[in-house]
Amino acid sequence: MKLKEKKRKAKKEARRRNRKKAISQSQSLCAGEKEYVHQRKRVVLESLSSLGINCTTDSVPHIALLASGGGQRASVGLLGSLYQMEKEHLVDMLLYLGSVSGSTWSMSSIYSDPQWSDSPDSLDTAVSRLSGPEVPLEKALAWLDERAEEDYFSLSDVWGVLTSAGIMKQMDLRRLSDEASRKATNPYPIYSAIEKYCYLHGPIQGKWFEVTPHEAGFTELGLFVKTSLLGSKFENGKLLVKEPEMDMVKLQGILGSALALDQTIKDLIPPWLNVSGQMDGAAEDYLRVYNALDKLVALTRSTIKDPTALSDLDKLQKILEDMLNHDKSVWLESKSLEERKSSFGQWSLELMAAVQTWSQSLEDGAFKTNVSLLTKQVLPMIRKWEWGTTGNFLYKYQDSTVPPYLRSTETFHLIDAGLLINVAYPSFLGEKRDIDLIIAPEYSAGNMFETLTLARDYAAEVKKPFPDIDSKILEERDWPKGCYVLEGKEKAPTIVHAHARTHARRLLLPVYRYAAEFKAKMEDFSTFQRPYSQEKIEFELETAKANIKINKETLLREIKKAVLRRHNKM
C-alpha cells in the first residue's frame, strides 16, 4: 500500500511539475524578456550618451513606442514614424515597440530583418517593398491550401495571406519565437490581440492578450505559455498535443482582423439599409457576405498582373455591385418589414452562387485553377464567419481566477485588439514593465482622443495607474494640435500623444482650405479600402515623418525627464 501511495503521489507531483512548466502564472517579466531588456538597456544607454543626455546604467528609462491601429494608414504610418525616428537618432532610445491592428502588419515586416534598427537601409527596404512586386497568387494559395488542412483553419488565415501578399508584399514564414534567441539590437516587440467572447461578454481580465517572442497569454490574468506552444492542445494545464507554431502570416491575420466583429460590418452598412429596426441576423449575414467578397476581390487583384485576369476580376466586381443595387431596389419596393427581412437570406446565397458561376465561366488556365482553389477554401468560411480560432491552453485549467468560459472551451478566438483599444496600452501599464514614457503616434480615424479615454477607463477598471487627461484637451478633438503631453505622476507613465493627421492637415490645407474639404479628402484614406496607390503610400509616409520631425524637441525633452524619473525611482 505504501508503494502504491508513493507512486500515486509521484504521479501527482509529476503532473503538477508538467502543468507548472506548460503554463506560467505571474505578473512579472519572464526570464527571456527580462534578459533581453537587460541587454537592450546597454543600447539605450549608448544612444542617450551620443545625444549628450547624462544617464547611468541604473537610470536608463523604460521608453515604449506604441503605434495605433488603422489599417493600411497605420501600417504605412508606423514605417514613416520609425524612418524619421531613425534619422533623428531616436529609435535606439526605445526599450519596447508595441502595435495593434494595421500597425502589426508593418511591425512584423520590419522585424523580419534581425538588425533592422541597426541598419540604415533596412527601413528603406521595408518602405520600398510596399510599392514593389506583388507576391504571386499561386504562392499565397499554396500557403492557404496547407492551412486548410489544419484543425484551426479560419478566416483569419485568409485575411492574413491576402494582406501579407497584397498589402505588405511579403510572405513572412518565420515564427515569432525565432526572435527569442536574437541579440537585443531592436526594441523588444509586443503584439496584441483580444479574446472575442470575453470582449463581448466579459470579464475584463479575459480580454487583452499579448504575444511576445518568449510567451503569449492574458495580460490581466497573468497566465502565459511559451509562444511556440500557442495554438497547441492543452487540458488542465497539461500539454496534450504540440501543434506547429503559427507563422507570421497567420499571426498577422489574427492581429489585424477587425472584420471579425459584427459591429465592424455594421459600420459598413450602406445608407439605404441603415434604417432603425431593419437589421436582424439575416441582414447582418448578408452584409458579412457582401463585404467579405468585396475585400476578397480587392486583395486578390493586388496579387496579379495579367490583364485578362484583372479584366475578369473587374467583371466579378461589377456583378457584385449590380446585385447590391438590385437588392437595394427590391428592398426599397418591399411593402412589409417581414418581406424585407426574408429577402436577405436568399440574397446571401445568390451572392455566393454568383461567385461560383463566375469562377466556372473563366477560361481554362492558371487563373481559373487558382480562383477555384480560393473559392473552395474561402466561400464555406465566409458563411461560417469564424475568425482567430486558436487552441485554448486554459481548457479545464483548475484555477478560480480563470473566467468560466475560458475553462470550458477547447478553443478561443483571438481577434484585432484595436476593437477594444486602438493602442496597446494594456500591455504597458502597471509594474510589470514599469514604463516611464510612452510615445504614441496616432493614426486612427475619427475621434483623436478616443484611445486615450478608453485606455484611461480600462486602467481604472483593472486598477492600474494612468495619467490625468485635462478635460480642455478633449474639447479639441475635432481639430487637435499636433502633440499633447500627459504628465505621468507617481507610477503612471508620461504619454506623448502625437497626431499624424494634424500634419496631414498641414500638408493638405494649402489645397483644401476648409475643415469640411479636408475631412472629405481624408475619406480617401479610410481604414477599409483597396491596397493603397503609390501616391497614397507616399502621402502617409510624409505625414508620419512630419509628425516626428516637428515634435522632435518635445520628444527629447520628455526623454530627459524620463531619465530623471527613472533615477528618482532607484
Side-chain angles (χ1 to χ4, degrees), residues 148-359:
E149 298 299 318
E150 297 176 352
D151 290 343
Y152 301 140
F153 181 59
S154 75
L155 279 173
S156 297
D157 297 296
V158 180
W159 187 246
V161 73
L162 290 178
T163 52
S164 293
I167 294 177
M168 300 312 300
K169 314 292 178 63
Q170 179 185 28
M171 293 285 290
D172 188 355
L173 302 181
R174 67 193 169 88
R175 271 66 180 172
L176 182 56
S177 68
D178 296 344
E179 296 181 27
S181 58
R182 287 182 179 179
K183 294 181 180 179
T185 306
N186 305 316
Y188 191 74
I190 299 179
Y191 300 87
S192 296
I194 53 174
E195 200 290 311
K196 184 177 181 179
Y197 182 91
C198 290
Y199 168 70
L200 293 172
H201 306 287
I204 194 169
Q205 289 78 12
K207 294 183 180 183
W208 200 266
F209 194 95
E210 61 185 57
V211 189
T212 77
H214 292 94
E215 61 180 11
F218 292 91
T219 304
E220 306 306 337
L221 293 173
L223 288 165
F224 297 89
V225 291
K226 291 181 179 179
T227 299
S228 59
L229 296 179
L230 179 61
S232 292
K233 296 178 181 178
F234 287 78
E235 185 173 326
N236 190 23
K238 182 180 179 181
L239 176 63
L240 298 182
V241 180
K242 187 184 184 308
E243 301 287 356
E245 181 184 352
M246 67 178 73
D247 60 26
M248 296 305 292
V249 175
K250 185 181 181 78
L251 184 61
Q252 179 174 307
I254 288 173
L255 300 172
S257 57
L259 286 173
L261 200 65
D262 287 343
Q263 183 56 50
T264 306
I265 295 296
K266 289 178 181 178
D267 291 340
L268 303 175
I269 296 174
W272 59 269
L273 189 52
N274 194 13
V275 180
S276 178
Q278 303 300 324
M279 291 298 296
D280 63 357
E284 290 176 5
D285 183 55
Y286 171 74
L287 281 174
R288 283 197 297 265
V289 171
Y290 177 80
N291 280 294
L293 292 174
D294 181 65
K295 302 296 180 293
L296 183 65
V297 172
L299 288 170
T300 302
R301 180 192 302 278
S302 63
T303 65
I304 58 177
K305 290 183 176 179
D306 179 62
T308 302
L310 289 171
S311 176
D312 287 330
L313 285 172
D314 287 338
K315 292 176 184 177
L316 177 58
Q317 191 79 54
K318 182 70 164 53
I319 290 170
L320 295 175
E321 290 174 357
D322 287 347
M323 292 183 73
L324 181 68
N325 290 329
H326 172 266
D327 296 343
K328 171 185 176 181
S329 299
V330 173
W331 188 87
L332 292 174
E333 292 171 3
S334 299
K335 296 180 180 179
S336 69
L337 180 62
E338 290 304 316
E339 186 179 348
R340 290 176 174 180
K341 288 186 175 182
S342 66
S343 300
F344 285 117
Q346 182 62 33
W347 291 343
S348 295
L349 295 174
E350 289 174 358
L351 283 171
M352 307 280 272
V355 175
Q356 290 279 26
T357 301
W358 167 82
S359 172

Side-chain angles (χ1 to χ4, degrees), residues 502-516:
T502 297
H503 300 292
R505 183 180 72 204
R506 291 179 179 176
L507 291 171
L508 285 173
L509 277 184
V511 180
Y512 301 93
R513 295 187 177 184
Y514 301 102

Side-chain angles (χ1 to χ4, degrees), residues 458-481:
Y458 179 97
E461 191 168 351
V462 298
K463 296 180 172 56
K464 290 183 178 179
F466 196 83
D468 293 333
I469 304 174
D470 190 331
S471 59
K472 292 181 180 179
I473 291 177
L474 301 181
E475 294 173 2
E476 300 174 6
R477 61 182 177 273
D478 293 329
W479 211 239
K481 299 174 185 175

Side-chain angles (χ1 to χ4, degrees), residues 441-569:
E442 180 67 74
Y443 316 112
S444 301
N447 183 349
M448 290 291 103
F449 299 108
E450 184 178 40
T451 54
L452 283 176
T453 55
L454 288 173
R456 175 197 61 192
D457 297 345
Y458 179 97
E461 191 168 351
V462 298
K463 296 180 172 56
K464 290 183 178 179
F466 196 83
D468 293 333
I469 304 174
D470 190 331
S471 59
K472 292 181 180 179
I473 291 177
L474 301 181
E475 294 173 2
E476 300 174 6
R477 61 182 177 273
D478 293 329
W479 211 239
K481 299 174 185 175
C483 181
Y484 294 85
V485 177
L486 278 61
E487 194 75 33
K489 297 177 181 178
E490 297 179 356
K491 295 184 178 181
T494 291
I495 297 174
V496 177
H497 188 68
H499 296 269
R501 283 205 158 190
T502 297
H503 300 292
R505 183 180 72 204
R506 291 179 179 176
L507 291 171
L508 285 173
L509 277 184
V511 180
Y512 301 93
R513 295 187 177 184
Y514 301 102
E517 291 178 323
F518 167 74
K519 289 180 179 180
K521 176 61 179 177
M522 292 312 293
E523 287 301 315
D524 291 344
F525 298 87
S526 60
T527 301
F528 298 103
Q529 60 170 281
R530 295 178 179 181
Y532 277 2
S533 64
Q534 182 63 30
E535 180 184 3
K536 287 184 178 181
I537 290 172
E538 290 177 358
F539 178 82
E540 287 292 356
L541 285 171
E542 292 307 311
T543 296
K545 290 176 187 178
N547 181 259
I548 296 297
K549 189 173 184 178
I550 292 172
N551 293 313
K552 177 185 176 181
E553 294 306 316
T554 299
L555 293 174
L556 286 173
R557 183 189 70 221
E558 295 306 321
I559 288 169
K560 291 175 182 177
K561 287 184 180 180
V563 172
L564 181 60
R565 175 191 179 117
R566 176 58 50 175
H567 175 76
N568 292 335
K569 283 183 179 180

